[in-house]
Amino acid sequence: MFSYELLHIDKHTGARAGVFHTPHGDIETPIFMPVGTAATVKSLLPSTLHELGTQILLSNTYHLYLRPGSDIVRRAGGLHKFMNWNKPILTDSGGFQVFSLGDLRKITDDGVTFSSHIDGSKHVFTPESVMATEHDLGADVIMAFDECSTYGCSKEYARSAMNRTHKWLDRCAKAHTNGVQMLFPIIQGNMFADLRVESVKYVRDYAQCGIAVGGLSVGEPDQIMYEMLDVIRPYLPDNMPRYLMGVGTPDYILEGIERGIDMCDCVLPTRIARNGTAMTTHGKVVVRNGCYREDFSPLDEECDCYCCKNFSKAYLRHLVNCKEILAGELLSIHNIRFLLKLVEGAREAIKQDAFTDYKREFYAKYYKK
């Protein structure tokens, strides 16, 4: 039910173009996955996401566990029916959200005890319970429960978190008993090259049709993230998709693709849209700024989205400053389409062995200011 077809490798960089076959459809890679945290991409209809070219969505196990409860989603027929999305879905394990709770959680080798950010109620996540929750949700791709150590922690702590992630992965694999969902193991190791290599060597034995890189893009300098990707690259399986978790800026996406990454996700495009910021061909545009008050040009003349075809910067600025809901919707439409178009262009460039030129030309425009 799952397979990966590697179509072409850029001869200059090693960037990959392929197709990830899943029960709910094929995903052309490299791909960006919009995030629908609570079974919805904020402010956007499923039909709109289809029109934008979205191939796969990500939903969050932690949030859906708390509300409405995975049992509700299961009784509704799973996430696909619950949210009326007939294309592939990926659910994370909730690990990153739990570990982001800080003092509200306690980690042991058995699992994590945490307090809900909603009402303070106590809950426990173990590898087995997370697998049960993700089974209820019914996404095509499910993530193993891992511990994401913070940037700047000691090597001793990073090793401890990595070892715990490996032990939890073994428990996740034993608890994952159905054949209709693909379990992705997650590479950890913080910013220590030797730990990263140790982790990828361990978790790849559990990878059947997909492997993920976690614990990056968590506050470390850009070059350190790229170094970690370079370090693990020779050890990554070739015959399955490689997923870089939590990456959504154009430079991170392109640099990841150049280092053999096939999939990435982030809340960034919709989050900054709700704050009045757009990613455009010529860099970021903060539309609330006064310089756009009488700017009747499109947000991005090179974009083919509904927002750019129909509205001016002046109108978008007006909506943002009036706190109109439509502002976030239109800017979300644009930002998601912008990133989807970015990876579409990368995919075609890879097939022509022209990814280096594509990236250079994009940067020349995006960072011109």
Side-chain angles (χ1 to χ4, degrees):
M1 298 178 70
F2 294 87
S3 64
Y4 179 70
E5 184 180 359
L6 183 58
L7 300 178
H8 191 78
I9 300 177
D10 181 273
K11 65 181 181 181
H12 303 293
T13 64
R16 296 149 40 103
V19 181
F20 182 24
H21 303 285
T22 81
H24 282 90
D26 294 344
I27 303 163
E28 295 179 295
T29 62
I31 189 63
F32 174 77
M33 301 181 287
V35 176
T37 300
T40 177
V41 178
K42 286 183 172 57
S43 81
L44 299 185
L45 293 169
S47 58
T48 301
L49 292 166
H50 279 288
E51 291 168 3
L52 293 174
T54 305
Q55 298 185 55
I56 175 173
L57 291 179
L58 184 146
S59 284
N60 183 262
T61 296
Y62 166 82
H63 288 281
L64 293 172
Y65 162 83
L66 291 176
R67 291 186 301 195
S70 64
D71 58 326
I72 298 292
V73 177
R74 175 178 51 79
R75 294 204 297 271
L79 270 178
H80 291 91
K81 289 186 178 180
F82 190 57
M83 62 190 291
N84 191 29
W85 179 256
N86 59 11
K87 291 183 178 181
I89 299 173
L90 181 152
T91 47
D92 60 13
S93 68
F96 181 79
Q97 284 71 30
V98 167
F99 297 119
S100 298
L101 292 173
D103 293 337
L104 295 177
R105 48 83 170 151
K106 180 181 179 181
I107 307 170
T108 68
D109 287 343
D110 186 56
V112 181
T113 301
F114 63 94
S115 299
S116 165
H117 71 285
I118 300 169
D119 59 11
S121 56
K122 295 289 185 181
H123 302 270
V124 177
F125 270 8
T126 67
E128 293 79 12
S129 72
V130 167
M131 287 297 96
T133 298
E134 293 198 81
H135 289 166
D136 281 350
L137 297 176
D140 302 270
V141 176
I142 62 177
M143 306 305 297
F145 192 47
D146 64 324
E147 180 178 354
C148 180
S149 54
T150 57
Y151 170 62
C153 73
S154 69
K155 188 171 185 178
E156 181 182 8
Y157 185 87
R159 181 182 293 279
S160 173
M162 179 193 72
N163 288 335
R164 187 175 286 124
T165 292
H166 295 169
K167 292 176 182 176
W168 286 355
L169 172 59
D170 183 63
R171 290 166 59 186
C172 284
K174 290 175 180 176
H176 178 48
T177 56
N178 72 51
V180 297
Q181 295 173 289
M182 181 52 61
L183 176 65
F184 277 29
I186 301 174
I187 301 162
Q188 288 291 350
N190 207 275
M191 310 305 156
F192 302 98
D194 57 335
L195 297 185
R196 283 283 171 180
V197 171
E198 182 179 344
S199 187
V200 67
K201 286 181 177 180
Y202 184 92
V203 307
R204 68 185 179 187
D205 290 340
Y206 291 82
Q208 295 182 328
C209 194
I211 191 167
V213 184
L216 294 179
S217 188
V218 290
E220 76 278 8
D222 301 353
Q223 292 304 316
I224 291 181
M225 184 181 82
Y226 304 152
E227 179 186 339
M228 294 302 103
L229 292 176
D230 287 333
V231 163
I232 64 173
R233 183 175 184 174
Y235 305 97
L236 293 171
D238 292 323
N239 62 340
M240 61 184 68
R242 305 158 174 180
Y243 166 31
L244 177 58
M245 306 176 74
V247 164
T249 60
D251 52 348
Y252 278 14
I253 291 172
L254 292 178
E255 296 297 335
I257 290 172
E258 185 169 343
R259 289 162 172 81
I261 294 299
D262 305 300
M263 304 166 65
C264 57
D265 79 285
C266 198
V267 297
L268 180 73
T270 49
R271 177 173 291 171
I272 66 172
R274 296 193 301 276
N275 292 323
T277 299
M279 293 179 277
T280 77
T281 306
H282 298 281
K284 284 186 179 180
V285 171
V286 182
V287 296
R288 70 171 69 251
N289 289 350
C291 60
Y292 301 115
R293 183 178 181 181
E294 298 182 33
D295 188 337
F296 304 113
S297 65
L299 185 60
D300 187 342
E301 293 182 353
E302 298 183 37
C303 182
D304 57 4
C305 79
Y306 176 80
C307 175
C308 292
K309 285 181 177 179
N310 293 280
F311 304 104
S312 67
K313 296 188 190 76
Y315 180 66
L316 294 169
R317 178 182 182 273
H318 160 70
L319 294 179
V320 169
N321 287 335
C322 290
K323 295 182 172 55
E324 287 290 342
I325 295 173
L326 185 59
E329 180 179 0
L330 290 175
L331 291 173
S332 292
I333 286 172
H334 167 75
N335 282 346
I336 289 177
R337 179 57 192 152
F338 178 80
L339 292 183
L340 291 176
K341 190 176 179 182
L342 177 70
V343 295
E344 288 170 6
R347 196 156 55 233
E348 293 308 309
I350 291 167
K351 293 177 182 178
Q352 302 300 319
D353 293 314
F355 181 77
T356 300
D357 292 338
Y358 176 76
K359 189 183 80 165
R360 182 173 59 246
E361 291 168 6
F362 175 84
Y363 282 172
K365 290 182 179 180
Y366 194 77
Y367 293 110
K368 188 176 182 179
K369 290 189 290 187

